[in-house]
Amino acid sequence: MKNNVLLVVNPISGGVDKSEFIEAVTHFATKENWNLILFKTSGEDDVSRIRILFKRYKPKRIIIVGGDGTIKMVADATESQDVILGILPAGSSNGLAVDLGLMKTLEENIEIAFCNNHIELDTIVINNQKCFHLSDLGLNAELVKNYEKSNIHGKWGYFLQAINTLLDFGDPFTATIVANNQTIECEARMIVIANSKKYGTGIVINPDGIMNDGKFELVILKNLDLIIFGEIILGNIPLNQEDIEILSTDKATIKTNFPVSFQIDGEYCGTETELDIKISSSKIKVAIP
């Protein structure tokens, strides 16, 4: 009997045509005697539809063509530690793929996606929503919001919205953070909740991040001016350590003095004044080289 594999494709992620991805995965699955089920996201009830397919076919693995947001959506839909996720990075935000060393050729990534070598990633739960890579409050979340509203996708659209965000962003916010039995109050432009090291640009935002150590880091960017933020978006410079504080913990709360833009794994989630953050006991399996 053939093993089932579910191929989840986000047609609009990264502004890239996905035909080549579908053809290549179909060819590989046929050659290796896998039964392929194709699902293209539409933006309408995708989580429920993927969940139905997962329960019906019980795939041994799920191949994902998209970015960080698509990976999160699939993980939310399956809620299973028994399936291996294979990533074919094709999004505007491919931060998880960058961290896992998956920015390779399509052929190489397909081989990796179907292999049994995998890592069990920690799951962070933020206000009852799952995060596997990087979430943040502040400047970058505002950029994600502007990008999602734009009609121009891909790297060019991301760059244009970075400029708009830098020009329009207002004053720093004040954050009260409780973690490791201590309370910190500070002004910040951005607070990153990090399960890993890098943004999709390749910039290292959390140098000591380990994705399966049972902890996450709060990266507090205090004196971040707009020019430096622009450089971070482009991935050109390291951060000045005087402007940054990093806390490692397994649970924390953050309260802000006014509503601040918030994003999870590249998906804008609105504004928040309070975040409850903790490491979940569940993990996800992701194929790696």
Side-chain angles (χ1 to χ4, degrees):
M1 179 182 291
K2 292 183 179 181
N3 287 324
N4 291 329
V5 57
L6 176 61
L7 175 60
V8 176
V9 179
N10 184 336
I12 66 170
S13 63
V16 178
D17 180 36
K18 306 305 189 304
S19 300
E20 181 185 2
F21 291 84
I22 296 171
E23 290 173 7
V25 173
T26 301
H27 175 75
F28 188 93
T30 301
K31 182 182 69 172
E32 298 295 326
N33 204 33
W34 288 80
N35 181 45
L36 183 69
I37 301 101
L38 172 63
F39 175 78
K40 295 182 180 180
T41 64
S42 65
E44 297 182 4
D45 204 23
D46 288 320
V47 170
S48 295
R49 294 167 68 195
I50 293 170
R51 187 173 290 137
I52 289 170
L53 289 172
F54 182 72
K55 290 180 179 178
R56 179 185 302 168
Y57 293 102
K58 297 179 173 58
K60 295 295 183 181
R61 67 189 59 230
I62 302 175
I63 310 301
I64 302 165
V65 180
D68 290 335
T70 311
I71 297 166
K72 178 182 181 299
M73 180 181 63
V74 171
D76 283 342
T78 58
E79 296 183 344
S80 171
Q81 298 181 48
D82 297 326
V83 64
I84 297 176
L85 307 183
I87 300 172
L88 305 184
S92 300
S93 175
N94 297 305
L96 186 57
V98 169
D99 262 315
L100 294 175
L102 295 174
M103 300 306 290
K104 301 178 182 295
T105 67
L106 176 56
E107 291 73 19
E108 288 174 317
N109 277 329
I110 290 175
E111 292 274 359
I112 294 167
F114 278 87
C115 78
N116 289 319
N117 192 28
H118 64 270
I119 185 173
E120 294 193 6
L121 298 182
D122 289 331
T123 302
I124 306 172
V125 179
I126 308 171
N127 288 3
N128 296 317
Q129 297 188 70
K130 295 177 183 177
C131 166
F132 303 104
H133 184 238
L134 293 169
S135 301
D136 50 58
L137 282 163
L139 268 170
N140 188 62
E142 188 74 10
L143 167 57
V144 170
K145 178 187 75 173
N146 292 338
Y147 176 80
E148 288 183 356
K149 290 163 57 179
S150 171
N151 293 323
I152 303 174
H153 293 277
K155 291 184 178 180
W156 177 240
Y158 200 74
F159 177 73
L160 289 176
Q161 293 310 316
I163 294 174
N164 292 336
T165 303
L166 295 172
L167 291 175
D168 295 341
F169 199 73
D171 295 330
F173 57 90
T174 299
T176 303
I177 301 169
V178 178
N180 299 328
N181 297 316
Q182 59 177 318
T183 301
I184 296 172
E185 186 169 300
C186 60
E187 273 199 347
R189 283 278 183 180
M190 185 168 147
I191 298 176
V192 184
I193 303 154
N195 192 38
S196 57
K197 294 183 179 182
K198 302 175 184 176
Y199 277 108
T201 58
I203 192 69
V204 176
I205 196 74
N206 180 31
D208 299 323
I210 300 173
M211 289 185 278
N212 59 351
D213 64 349
K215 293 183 178 294
F216 61 88
E217 282 71 47
L218 297 178
V219 184
I220 307 163
L221 305 175
K222 298 177 179 179
N223 303 314
L224 186 63
D225 66 36
L226 301 185
I227 294 175
I228 293 176
F229 178 66
E231 295 291 344
I232 290 172
I233 292 298
L234 295 173
N236 289 336
I237 63 168
L239 292 168
N240 184 334
Q241 294 301 308
E242 294 180 358
D243 296 330
I244 189 171
E245 182 172 355
I246 301 177
L247 303 174
S248 182
T249 185
D250 59 359
K251 62 180 179 179
T253 60
I254 302 174
K255 295 182 180 180
T256 62
N257 62 326
F258 57 80
V260 181
S261 288
F262 174 60
Q263 67 88 15
I264 294 180
D265 290 342
E267 299 292 317
Y268 183 67
C269 301
T271 59
E272 296 287 351
T273 57
E274 185 169 353
L275 298 180
D276 180 70
I277 314 159
K278 59 187 176 184
I279 286 283
S280 170
S281 59
S282 66
K283 296 177 181 285
I284 61 167
K285 294 179 181 179
V286 178
I288 57 173

